[in-house]
Coordinates of all heavy atoms in Angstrom, one line a residue:
S1 N -62.8 164.6 -180.9 CA -62.2 164.1 -179.6 C -63.2 164.4 -178.6 O -64.2 165.0 -178.8 CB -60.8 164.9 -179.5 OG -61.2 166.3 -179.3
G2 N -62.9 163.9 -177.4 CA -63.7 164.2 -176.2 C -65.0 163.8 -176.3 O -65.5 162.8 -176.8
V3 N -66.0 164.7 -175.7 CA -67.4 164.4 -175.7 C -68.0 164.3 -177.1 O -68.9 163.3 -177.4 CB -68.2 165.6 -174.9 CG1 -69.7 165.5 -175.1 CG2 -67.8 165.5 -173.5
G4 N -67.6 165.1 -178.1 CA -68.1 165.0 -179.5 C -67.8 163.7 -180.1 O -68.7 163.0 -180.7
L5 N -66.6 163.1 -179.8 CA -66.2 161.9 -180.4 C -67.1 160.7 -179.7 O -67.5 159.8 -180.3 CB -64.7 161.7 -180.3 CG -64.3 160.3 -180.7 CD1 -64.6 160.0 -182.1 CD2 -62.7 160.2 -180.6
A6 N -67.1 160.9 -178.4 CA -68.1 160.0 -177.7 C -69.5 159.9 -178.2 O -70.0 158.8 -178.2 CB -68.0 160.3 -176.1
F7 N -70.0 160.9 -178.5 CA -71.4 160.9 -179.2 C -71.4 160.3 -180.5 O -72.2 159.6 -180.8 CB -71.9 162.5 -179.4 CG -72.9 163.0 -178.3 CD1 -72.5 163.8 -177.3 CD2 -74.1 162.4 -178.3 CE1 -73.4 164.3 -176.4 CE2 -75.0 162.8 -177.3 CZ -74.7 163.7 -176.4
A8 N -70.4 160.6 -181.3 CA -70.3 160.1 -182.6 C -70.2 158.6 -182.6 O -70.8 157.8 -183.4 CB -69.0 160.7 -183.4
K9 N -69.5 158.1 -181.6 CA -69.2 156.6 -181.4 C -70.6 155.9 -181.0 O -71.0 154.9 -181.5 CB -68.1 156.2 -180.6 CG -66.7 156.5 -181.0 CD -65.6 155.9 -180.2 CE -65.6 156.5 -178.7 NZ -64.6 156.0 -177.8
A10 N -71.2 156.6 -180.1 CA -72.4 156.1 -179.5 C -73.6 156.1 -180.5 O -74.3 155.2 -180.5 CB -72.9 157.0 -178.3
L11 N -73.6 156.9 -181.4 CA -74.7 157.1 -182.4 C -74.4 156.5 -183.7 O -75.3 156.3 -184.6 CB -75.1 158.6 -182.6 CG -75.5 159.5 -181.4 CD1 -75.6 160.9 -181.6 CD2 -76.8 158.9 -180.9
N12 N -73.2 156.1 -183.9 CA -72.9 155.5 -185.1 C -73.5 154.1 -185.5 O -73.5 153.8 -186.7 CB -71.3 155.3 -185.2 CG -70.7 155.1 -186.6 OD1 -71.2 155.5 -187.7 ND2 -69.8 154.0 -186.7
S13 N -73.7 153.3 -184.5 CA -74.2 152.0 -184.8 C -75.8 152.0 -185.1 O -76.4 150.9 -185.3 CB -74.0 151.1 -183.5 OG -74.5 151.6 -182.4
F14 N -76.4 153.2 -185.2 CA -77.8 153.2 -185.5 C -78.0 153.8 -186.8 O -77.1 154.1 -187.6 CB -78.6 154.1 -184.3 CG -78.5 153.4 -182.9 CD1 -77.3 153.8 -182.2 CD2 -79.3 152.5 -182.5 CE1 -77.2 153.1 -181.0 CE2 -79.1 151.9 -181.3 CZ -78.0 152.2 -180.5
N15 N -79.3 154.0 -187.3 CA -79.6 154.5 -188.6 C -79.3 155.9 -188.6 O -80.3 156.7 -188.9 CB -81.0 154.0 -188.9 CG -81.2 154.3 -190.4 OD1 -80.4 154.2 -191.2 ND2 -82.6 154.7 -190.7
N16 N -78.1 156.4 -188.5 CA -77.8 157.9 -188.6 C -76.8 158.2 -189.6 O -75.8 157.3 -189.8 CB -77.3 158.2 -187.1 CG -78.2 158.0 -186.1 OD1 -79.4 158.2 -186.3 ND2 -77.8 157.4 -184.9
K17 N -76.8 159.4 -190.1 CA -75.7 159.9 -190.9 C -75.2 161.1 -190.0 O -75.8 161.9 -189.6 CB -76.2 160.4 -192.3 CG -75.3 161.3 -193.0 CD -74.0 160.4 -193.4 CE -73.0 161.3 -194.3 NZ -71.8 160.5 -194.7
I18 N -73.8 160.9 -189.7 CA -73.2 161.9 -188.8 C -72.2 162.7 -189.5 O -71.3 162.2 -190.1 CB -72.6 161.0 -187.6 CG1 -73.5 160.2 -187.0 CG2 -71.8 162.0 -186.7 CD1 -73.1 159.2 -185.9
F19 N -72.2 163.9 -189.2 CA -71.3 165.0 -189.7 C -70.4 165.5 -188.5 O -71.1 166.0 -187.6 CB -72.0 166.2 -190.4 CG -72.5 165.7 -191.8 CD1 -73.9 165.4 -191.8 CD2 -71.8 165.6 -192.9 CE1 -74.5 165.0 -192.8 CE2 -72.6 165.3 -194.2 CZ -73.8 165.0 -194.1
I20 N -69.2 165.3 -188.4 CA -68.4 165.8 -187.4 C -67.6 167.1 -187.9 O -67.0 167.1 -188.9 CB -67.5 164.8 -186.7 CG1 -66.6 164.2 -187.8 CG2 -68.3 163.8 -186.1 CD1 -65.5 163.2 -187.2
I21 N -67.8 168.1 -187.1 CA -66.9 169.4 -187.5 C -65.8 169.6 -186.6 O -65.9 169.5 -185.4 CB -67.9 170.5 -187.4 CG1 -69.2 170.3 -188.3 CG2 -67.2 171.9 -187.8 CD1 -70.2 171.4 -188.3
G22 N -64.6 169.9 -187.1 CA -63.4 170.2 -186.3 C -62.4 170.8 -187.1 O -62.5 170.9 -188.3
R23 N -61.3 171.4 -186.4 CA -60.3 172.1 -187.2 C -59.1 171.2 -187.5 O -58.3 171.5 -188.4 CB -59.8 173.2 -186.2 CG -60.8 174.3 -186.1 CD -60.2 175.4 -185.2 NE -60.2 175.1 -183.8 CZ -59.7 175.9 -182.8 NH1 -59.6 177.2 -183.1 NH2 -59.8 175.5 -181.7
N24 N -59.0 170.1 -187.0 CA -57.9 169.2 -187.1 C -58.2 168.1 -188.2 O -58.8 167.3 -187.9 CB -57.4 168.6 -185.8 CG -56.1 167.8 -185.8 OD1 -55.9 167.1 -186.8 ND2 -55.3 168.0 -184.9
K25 N -57.7 168.3 -189.3 CA -57.9 167.4 -190.5 C -57.5 166.0 -190.3 O -58.2 165.1 -190.6 CB -57.3 168.0 -191.7 CG -57.7 167.2 -193.1 CD -57.1 167.9 -194.2 CE -57.4 167.1 -195.5 NZ -56.9 167.8 -196.8
Q26 N -56.3 165.9 -189.6 CA -55.7 164.5 -189.3 C -56.6 163.8 -188.5 O -56.9 162.5 -188.6 CB -54.3 164.8 -188.8 CG -53.5 163.4 -188.6 CD -52.2 163.6 -188.1 OE1 -51.7 164.7 -187.8 NE2 -51.4 162.5 -188.1
K27 N -57.1 164.5 -187.3 CA -58.0 163.8 -186.3 C -59.2 163.5 -187.0 O -59.8 162.2 -186.8 CB -58.2 164.7 -185.1 CG -57.1 164.8 -184.2 CD -57.6 165.5 -182.9 CE -56.5 165.5 -181.8 NZ -57.0 166.3 -180.7
G28 N -59.8 164.3 -187.8 CA -61.1 164.1 -188.5 C -61.0 163.0 -189.4 O -62.0 162.1 -189.4
Q29 N -60.0 162.8 -190.1 CA -59.9 161.6 -191.0 C -59.7 160.4 -190.4 O -60.2 159.4 -190.8 CB -58.7 161.9 -192.0 CG -59.0 163.0 -193.1 CD -57.8 163.5 -193.9 OE1 -56.6 163.1 -193.6 NE2 -58.1 164.0 -195.1
A30 N -59.0 160.5 -189.2 CA -58.8 159.3 -188.4 C -60.2 158.7 -187.7 O -60.4 157.6 -187.9 CB -57.9 159.5 -187.2
V31 N -61.0 159.7 -187.5 CA -62.3 159.3 -186.9 C -63.1 158.8 -188.1 O -63.9 157.7 -187.9 CB -63.1 160.5 -186.4 CG1 -64.5 160.2 -186.0 CG2 -62.3 161.1 -185.1
E32 N -63.2 159.3 -189.3 CA -64.0 158.7 -190.4 C -63.4 157.3 -190.7 O -64.2 156.4 -190.9 CB -63.5 159.6 -191.7 CG -64.2 160.8 -191.8 CD -64.0 161.7 -193.1 OE1 -62.8 161.5 -193.6 OE2 -64.9 162.2 -193.7
K33 N -62.1 157.0 -190.7 CA -61.6 155.8 -190.8 C -62.0 154.7 -189.8 O -62.4 153.6 -190.0 CB -60.0 155.7 -190.9 CG -59.4 154.4 -191.2 CD -58.0 154.6 -191.4 CE -57.2 153.2 -191.8 NZ -55.8 153.5 -192.0
Q34 N -62.1 155.3 -188.5 CA -62.4 154.4 -187.4 C -64.0 154.1 -187.4 O -64.3 152.9 -187.2 CB -62.1 155.2 -186.1 CG -62.6 154.5 -184.8 CD -62.4 155.2 -183.5 OE1 -61.9 156.3 -183.6 NE2 -62.8 154.8 -182.4
L35 N -64.8 155.1 -187.8 CA -66.2 154.8 -187.6 C -67.0 154.5 -188.9 O -68.0 154.0 -188.9 CB -66.9 156.1 -187.1 CG -66.4 156.4 -185.7 CD1 -67.1 157.7 -185.1 CD2 -66.5 155.3 -184.7
G36 N -66.3 154.6 -190.1 CA -66.9 154.1 -191.2 C -67.7 155.2 -192.1 O -67.6 156.3 -191.7
N37 N -68.2 154.7 -193.2 CA -68.8 155.6 -194.2 C -70.1 156.4 -193.7 O -70.6 157.1 -194.5 CB -69.0 154.9 -195.5 CG -69.9 153.8 -195.4 OD1 -70.6 153.5 -194.4 ND2 -69.9 152.9 -196.4
T38 N -70.6 156.1 -192.5 CA -71.8 156.8 -192.1 C -71.4 158.0 -191.4 O -72.2 158.9 -191.0 CB -72.8 156.0 -191.0 OG1 -71.8 155.6 -190.0 CG2 -73.2 154.8 -191.8
V39 N -70.0 158.3 -191.2 CA -69.5 159.4 -190.6 C -68.6 160.3 -191.5 O -67.9 159.8 -192.4 CB -68.5 159.1 -189.3 CG1 -67.8 160.4 -188.9 CG2 -69.5 158.4 -188.2
E40 N -69.0 161.6 -191.6 CA -68.3 162.5 -192.6 C -67.6 163.6 -191.9 O -68.3 164.2 -191.1 CB -69.1 162.9 -193.6 CG -68.4 163.8 -194.8 CD -69.3 164.1 -195.9 OE1 -70.4 163.5 -196.1 OE2 -69.0 165.1 -196.6
F41 N -66.4 163.8 -192.1 CA -65.7 164.9 -191.3 C -65.8 166.1 -192.2 O -65.5 166.1 -193.4 CB -64.3 164.6 -191.1 CG -63.4 165.8 -190.7 CD1 -63.6 166.3 -189.4 CD2 -62.3 166.2 -191.5 CE1 -62.8 167.4 -189.0 CE2 -61.5 167.2 -190.9 CZ -61.7 167.9 -189.7
L42 N -66.2 167.4 -191.6 CA -66.0 168.6 -192.2 C -65.0 169.5 -191.5 O -65.2 169.9 -190.2 CB -67.4 169.3 -192.1 CG -68.8 168.4 -192.7 CD1 -69.9 169.3 -192.6 CD2 -68.5 168.2 -194.1
E43 N -64.0 169.8 -192.2 CA -62.9 170.6 -191.7 C -63.5 172.1 -191.6 O -63.7 172.6 -192.7 CB -61.6 170.5 -192.4 CG -60.5 171.3 -191.9 CD -59.2 171.2 -192.7 OE1 -59.2 170.6 -193.8 OE2 -58.3 171.7 -192.3
S44 N -63.5 172.7 -190.5 CA -64.0 174.0 -190.4 C -63.4 174.7 -189.0 O -63.6 174.1 -188.0 CB -65.5 174.1 -190.4 OG -65.9 175.5 -190.4
D45 N -63.1 175.9 -189.1 CA -62.9 176.8 -188.0 C -64.1 177.6 -187.8 O -64.3 178.6 -188.4 CB -61.7 177.7 -188.1 CG -61.3 178.7 -187.0 OD1 -62.1 178.7 -186.1 OD2 -60.4 179.4 -187.1
L46 N -64.9 177.2 -186.9 CA -66.2 177.8 -186.7 C -66.3 179.2 -186.1 O -67.3 179.9 -186.1 CB -67.2 176.9 -185.7 CG -67.5 175.6 -186.4 CD1 -68.2 174.7 -185.3 CD2 -68.3 175.7 -187.6
T47 N -65.1 179.7 -185.8 CA -65.0 181.1 -185.4 C -65.1 182.1 -186.6 O -65.1 183.3 -186.4 CB -63.7 181.4 -184.5 OG1 -62.7 181.1 -185.3 CG2 -63.6 180.5 -183.3

């Protein structure tokens, strides 16, 4: 979400492999579906 998601969307159309890290599995999977197979969600509580 927010700035992180904005970055993911902006960088997704180039030759990049993107890993997004977040705690919300539902949101993460939705972003994967929205942005395609160059984006992979890693569910993690970084604390």
Side-chain angles (χ1 to χ4, degrees):
S1 63
V3 173
L5 178 56
F7 258 111
K9 290 192 299 182
L11 299 173
N12 188 45
S13 57
F14 299 90
N15 188 30
N16 300 316
K17 172 64 178 177
I18 301 172
F19 296 90
I20 57 172
I21 303 175
R23 292 182 287 187
N24 190 312
K25 185 176 182 179
Q26 186 176 4
K27 282 186 177 181
Q29 290 176 337
V31 173
E32 282 182 323
K33 185 176 181 180
Q34 176 189 358
L35 299 183
N37 59 14
T38 58
V39 174
E40 183 173 344
F41 170 65
L42 305 181
E43 183 182 3
S44 180
D45 177 357
L46 293 175
T47 63

